[in-house]
Amino acid sequence: MKHSEPTLIDVKMMRLALKEARKGMGKTSPNPAVGAVLAKNARILSKGWHQAAGCAHAEIEALRSLKNKSSAKGATLYVTLEPCSTHGRTPPCCESIITSGITRVVYGARDPNPKNAGRADTILRESGIEVLSGILEPECASLNRAWNKWILTGLPYVIAKTGMSLDGRIGSPKGRRWITSEASRKDAMQLRATSGAILVGAETVRSDNPSLTVRGIPVKQQPLRVVWSRSGNLPPDCHLLTDEHREKTLLFESKSLREVMQDLGRRGIEQVLIEGGGRTLGEAFDEGLVDHIVFYVAPVLIGGETPSVGGCGVETNESAIRLTNPTYTRIGDDIRIDGRVDYSLRLNSSGC
């Protein structure tokens, strides 16, 4: 069977499917966020997105949204992720696609699980359905970067976030808790809202008494609050142990950060946001656990001995940890630095 090349209409429809998928960001764990569009003759028939684990998948939502069910015959389905081909909490989408009369399926990213990757292609083609894959694949794959890593490794995707001064310090002067602006802190709430857990070191709890909750943004549920500690000693009256979300606080004592991440992965946590302090972030980088960084830099100089990232460091500048395609965004007077972490030049060169 000869398969067509993508058209401008295919790209346009996939962008609309991506827009649908983004509606589910932070709401679908332990499932991926997926969007779908049904179209015929360049005309949109319906759209759908996966709203939560256990709910209908995006493809099924799009089929259910059709005003005329028979209009699916001869239509093209655009979906950001390869349609599922196995039974889970819901039946496989491939079955519904085949019985609907859809004649063409265009999807963005392949299922990262080696047991499933490409299986839908075979099932659908054997039923006479044309399949085209890889449309806007980078955008579709990055949509579920945390889920992809968790599926393949069992470990959560780790984002390191901190707010610091221009000279890389996180210790606020007396009488001032915040270094970065209110606008930066509001922006950072989006990171909390899309993470399954927020992790800090015990010293951060003792010095700052954070609540580690999502505020100002509606969320299905608050993320887990994780404290990494050597001694296990926390102030008994701290927010994490006394507020309304105290049942969502986990304390890990005398465990390595890698062991903590393995435990969180077993709990189904796909993304962890590490918010500090400097020793905790240093350990995370030393262990090669961080996948992504979001640093907010304020135009102030503080000095002192509390660095944003501690740890052992590297032996030479050439072996420093670097960012891949970083972006720099101005938020008020602050700068947000955002990028994937690249350990490839490190070559186990650590100052430990």
Side-chain angles (χ1 to χ4, degrees):
M1 181 185 296
K2 184 178 179 180
H3 305 296
S4 64
E5 294 296 319
T7 66
L8 291 176
I9 294 297
D10 291 335
V11 174
K12 177 182 177 181
M13 294 299 176
M14 189 59 74
R15 291 202 184 282
L16 291 175
L18 276 165
K19 185 176 180 180
E20 289 294 301
R22 291 188 185 102
K23 296 177 181 178
M25 293 289 289
K27 303 173 183 177
T28 61
S29 180
N31 287 354
V34 183
V37 172
L38 263 173
K40 185 190 294 185
N41 300 324
R43 183 173 66 88
I44 297 172
L45 302 177
S46 63
K47 296 180 285 187
W49 57 283
H50 182 45
Q51 300 182 24
C55 294
H57 289 186
E59 302 94 315
I60 307 306
E61 285 286 350
L63 286 168
R64 288 178 179 176
S65 298
L66 284 171
K67 294 180 179 180
N68 181 355
K69 304 304 179 185
S70 64
S71 63
K73 294 181 179 180
T76 296
L77 172 69
Y78 297 90
V79 60
T80 54
L81 182 68
E82 175 183 351
C84 66
S85 54
T86 56
H87 280 271
R89 297 187 185 187
T90 59
C93 290
C94 282
E95 291 183 2
S96 297
I97 293 170
I98 292 168
T99 59
S100 71
I102 289 170
T103 55
R104 184 169 180 256
V105 172
V106 178
Y107 70 84
R110 181 158 288 188
D111 187 330
N113 190 331
K115 295 181 180 179
N116 302 323
R119 193 166 181 264
D121 298 43
T122 301
I123 293 172
L124 295 174
R125 284 171 178 159
E126 287 179 350
S127 298
I129 296 174
E130 180 183 346
V131 180
L132 183 63
S133 63
I135 309 304
L136 300 182
E137 184 174 12
E139 293 96 322
C140 292
S142 66
L143 191 72
N144 292 299
R145 61 193 182 187
W147 182 76
N148 294 341
K149 181 185 177 183
W150 180 69
I151 283 291
L152 290 172
T153 69
L155 292 172
Y157 189 87
V158 178
I159 300 176
K161 170 259 173 182
T162 192
M164 70 177 97
S165 64
L166 196 59
D167 53 343
R169 296 297 186 267
I170 58 174
S172 300
K174 291 183 178 180
R176 180 182 177 183
R177 179 180 176 184
W178 306 112
I179 295 175
T180 55
S181 66
E182 182 178 351
S184 290
R185 299 196 298 275
K186 183 177 180 180
D187 184 81
M189 280 294 162
Q190 296 289 344
L191 295 173
R192 288 187 177 183
T194 56
S195 297
I198 304 167
L199 184 148
V200 296
E203 184 56 36
T204 296
V205 178
R206 288 189 284 265
S207 60
D208 294 343
N209 191 20
S211 61
L212 304 183
T213 55
V214 178
R215 300 180 294 278
I217 302 173
V219 289
K220 182 180 177 181
Q221 61 180 358
Q222 291 288 340
L224 288 176
R225 305 178 301 183
V226 181
V227 182
W228 180 54
S229 174
R230 286 179 176 174
S231 66
N233 295 325
L234 298 180
D237 59 347
C238 69
H239 294 315
L240 299 185
L241 299 180
T242 60
D243 67 11
E244 61 181 312
H245 305 295
R246 56 188 175 276
E247 298 300 324
K248 299 186 75 68
T249 298
L250 297 177
L251 174 62
F252 288 91
E253 181 183 349
S254 301
K255 288 183 177 292
S256 71
L257 268 184
R258 184 169 295 277
E259 290 173 323
V260 172
M261 295 304 169
Q262 290 169 342
D263 185 287
L264 294 175
R266 288 191 291 269
R267 294 171 187 261
I269 301 299
E270 299 170 14
Q271 180 168 294
V272 174
L273 180 65
I274 301 182
E275 293 202 3
R279 173 180 169 266
T280 302
L281 285 172
E283 176 80 8
F285 282 106
D286 286 343
E287 289 294 316
L289 296 172
V290 179
D291 299 290
H292 201 107
I293 70 109
V294 180
F295 284 5
Y296 298 87
V297 183
V300 295
L301 298 169
I302 292 176
E305 299 179 354
T306 310
S308 58
V309 178
C312 298
V314 296
E315 293 180 346
T316 66
N317 288 340
E318 289 72 24
S319 60
I321 300 169
R322 301 181 184 276
L323 300 182
T324 301
N325 297 322
T327 61
Y328 306 88
T329 306
R330 183 167 178 173
I331 302 178
D333 288 335
D334 300 341
I335 298 295
R336 168 180 161 146
I337 304 173
D338 187 315
R340 290 290 302 269
V341 177
D342 182 3
Y343 294 99
S344 62
L345 297 178
R346 196 173 184 186
L347 301 176
N348 297 318
S349 175
S350 172
C352 292

